[in-house]
Amino acid sequence: MRPATKEPARQITFNHPTLAGEELKYLGEVLTGIHLSGNGEFTKRCQALLEELLPSGRALLTHSCTGALEMAAMLAGLGPGDEVIMPSFTFASTANAVVLRGARPVFVDIRPDTLNIDEGLLAQALTVRTKAISVVHYAGVGCEMDPILDFARDRNLLVMEDAAQALCAKYRGRSLGTFGQFAAISFHETKNIISGEGGALIVNDPSYFSRAEIIWEKGTNRSQFWRGEIDKYTWVDFGSSYLPSEVIAAFLLAQLEKSRELTAHRLQIWHRYREAFRSLETLGLLQIPHVPSHCEHNGHIFFVLAPTSVLREKWLKILWREGVYGVIHYVPLHSSPAGRKFCCVSGDMSVTDDIASRLIRLPLHLALDVIEQDRVIQVVTNLARGR
Ligand SMILES: Cc1ncc(COP(=O)(O)O)c(C=O)c1O
């Protein structure tokens, strides 16, 4: 954590992208080189590092997690009439990727402890049209992958992991992003490891990989051509343009090389919040994240749950007035205009509705110093104690 060397800033932002060290050096190498487009040396080095972190899969860098989710939906062969079970407490892209294929997201409620999909509700959402389950590891805390994988295996369903927030986190000792046939990672500037915009598709089932490369390269077999396996490349399947340029990959490489240190730093800040708010939770004045003992999370989000939605709105106003930029998270997709149009709901969504209406994410980034964090803690403590 940065030492407390300066006066508290008047505004404590929710996010503040920070450099890991070698970004400018690597960017200089790209800008003075001869390869600016995608799939060059920096892309390959990033992919190799991702494959070390997620050893069961092959990685393809993408321009966003959204792009990786779209690729996964194409690889899954989703089409009109198909259904994909997923939580509604997620970002639009989890569902949008499915809708773009003409298929339908079916929302189920989340668990009140981890805020992840409630695996006990999969059976009620299953129909003859169900083709896949899309799980979201909220805040880098793993979904209950053992029962989810058992359920999927028994019914021949594909599993896609929206691991946008989950790099460098584990479930029962195994890295998130290695469980499903496909996983999608985000390097958006709000994530732990960043490149401004950016993402990666992880393909854990090798039988899908050659098609993934084709979809990635606009439906062509250009990757094979670059490897010298064919003498010219051509259009062989549908696909789109999902490659980031080498400029993005160079920035990302500097971050990925430091992924362990960046995660450790983030966890330190996360635990400082936890220690500060534990007693308030015991008193029933707010709730803080719950991480099951078999999950190693990555400190991506620290949130508090206000006792009621009315108090959440009041707390937010006071936080902002005090210059502390806490923010809400997802508007549940089942209540969004597009969700109502393109998706359907299985069962009761009361946990999702309740959690979404009471949650505040606190400032958490690597430029946050102890004075700033103490200020956040003090303002939230005063709110919870009703002062
Ligand atoms: C769960 C989830 N999935 C997907 C995305 C989209 O990521 P990206 O901005 O890299 O496309 C986000 C973005 O925050 C997210 O939280």
Side-chain angles (χ1 to χ4, degrees):
M1 175 167 293
R2 276 203 298 150
T5 53
K6 60 184 174 74
E7 288 300 303
R10 277 198 46 219
Q11 300 200 336
I12 303 176
T13 56
F14 171 68
N15 187 46
H16 184 138
T18 46
L19 301 185
E22 304 283 26
E23 285 87 349
L24 296 177
K25 175 172 168 250
Y26 292 159
L27 282 169
E29 287 174 29
V30 170
L31 297 177
T32 51
I34 56 165
H35 189 132
L36 281 180
S37 65
N39 203 6
E41 279 315 304
F42 282 98
T43 297
K44 290 189 175 70
R45 286 167 70 185
C46 286
Q47 289 175 174
L49 280 181
L50 281 169
E51 287 167 10
E52 266 175 41
L53 288 170
L54 306 166
S56 67
R58 297 281 307 274
L60 291 172
L61 283 198
T62 54
H63 51 66
S64 61
C65 178
T66 301
L69 289 164
E70 289 174 19
M71 290 180 69
M74 289 183 198
L75 286 165
L78 297 179
D82 294 332
E83 293 179 352
V84 179
I85 305 172
M86 65 176 68
S88 162
F89 188 65
T90 181
F91 193 69
S93 303
T94 321
N96 204 40
V98 170
V99 169
L100 281 172
R101 307 309 323 144
R104 190 151 67 147
V106 177
F107 298 128
V108 295
D109 213 352
I110 51 171
R111 298 170 54 114
D113 52 359
T114 58
L115 319 193
N116 285 330
I117 191 166
D118 186 337
E119 67 284 357
L121 300 175
L122 295 174
Q124 73 168 40
L126 187 76
T127 72
V128 287
R129 294 177 292 279
T130 309
K131 194 145 186 186
I133 304 167
S134 197
V135 300
V136 180
H137 305 298
Y138 184 70
V141 177
C143 296
E144 279 307 321
M145 292 315 295
D146 282 349
I148 291 170
L149 290 179
D150 286 347
F151 184 90
R153 204 175 298 114
D154 292 348
R155 290 153 186 92
N156 219 6
L157 306 176
L158 294 169
V159 174
M160 311 191 210
E161 291 177 78
D162 183 335
Q165 306 170 5
L167 193 60
C168 299
K170 292 183 177 174
Y171 169 80
R172 299 197 187 280
R174 184 169 150 192
S175 295
L176 301 182
T178 64
F179 291 92
Q181 278 80 12
F182 318 110
I185 312 272
S186 176
F187 301 117
H188 182 262
E189 68 168 11
T190 50
K191 301 301 184 293
N192 294 15
I193 309 295
I194 60 172
S195 58
E197 301 280 353
L201 175 74
I202 310 299
V203 181
N204 292 313
D205 179 336
S207 67
Y208 290 96
F209 189 70
S210 59
R211 183 138 190 256
E213 275 190 330
I214 288 167
I215 289 173
W216 188 55
E217 276 275 24
K218 300 108 181 156
T220 74
N221 51 5
R222 185 154 63 175
S223 298
Q224 275 183 287
F225 174 72
W226 285 131
R227 287 195 292 270
E229 292 165 13
I230 48 177
D231 61 3
K232 56 180 178 303
Y233 72 88
T234 184
W235 184 28
V236 291
D237 201 342
F238 64 78
S240 190
S241 179
Y242 289 111
L243 288 74
S245 85
E246 282 285 282
V247 179
I248 295 287
F251 189 102
L252 180 62
L253 180 65
Q255 294 265 322
L256 281 173
E257 284 178 340
K258 290 279 163 54
S259 60
R260 286 182 181 86
E261 292 89 334
L262 297 174
T263 306
H265 185 171
R266 216 169 162 107
L267 280 165
Q268 200 185 344
I269 300 172
W270 191 98
H271 280 288
R272 209 159 170 271
Y273 274 137
R274 180 169 180 270
E275 284 314 303
F277 295 133
R278 248 162 30 139
S279 56
L280 295 176
E281 183 172 62
T282 309
L283 292 170
L285 300 176
L286 49 65
Q287 285 168 259
I288 58 176
H290 173 79
V291 181
S293 57
H294 53 275
C295 291
E296 280 170 54
H297 71 109
N298 59 9
H300 177 55
I301 292 173
F302 194 95
F303 62 79
V304 293
L305 295 175
T308 64
S309 56
V310 174
L311 274 177
R312 193 272 296 266
E313 297 314 308
K314 183 178 165 199
W315 288 12
L316 269 179
K317 281 203 190 90
I318 295 171
L319 282 168
W320 294 352
R321 200 182 65 206
E322 295 289 328
V324 173
Y325 285 90
V327 293
I328 65 167
H329 213 172
Y330 310 121
V331 172
L333 297 184
H334 70 273
S335 52
S336 68
R340 287 202 297 268
K341 191 163 164 190
F342 299 122
C343 312
C344 71
V345 169
S346 166
D348 178 50
M349 301 300 278
S350 55
V351 181
T352 300
D353 288 332
D354 174 53
I355 295 287
S357 72
R358 294 194 292 122
L359 187 142
I360 301 175
R361 289 178 292 162
L362 299 183
L364 204 177
H365 52 77
L366 302 189
L368 190 74
D369 69 27
V370 287
I371 292 179
E372 290 165 330
Q373 191 177 14
D374 283 346
R375 170 101 187 105
V376 180
I377 291 168
Q378 185 204 343
V379 177
V380 173
T381 303
N382 288 345
L383 286 171
R385 291 191 178 279
R387 289 196 207 120

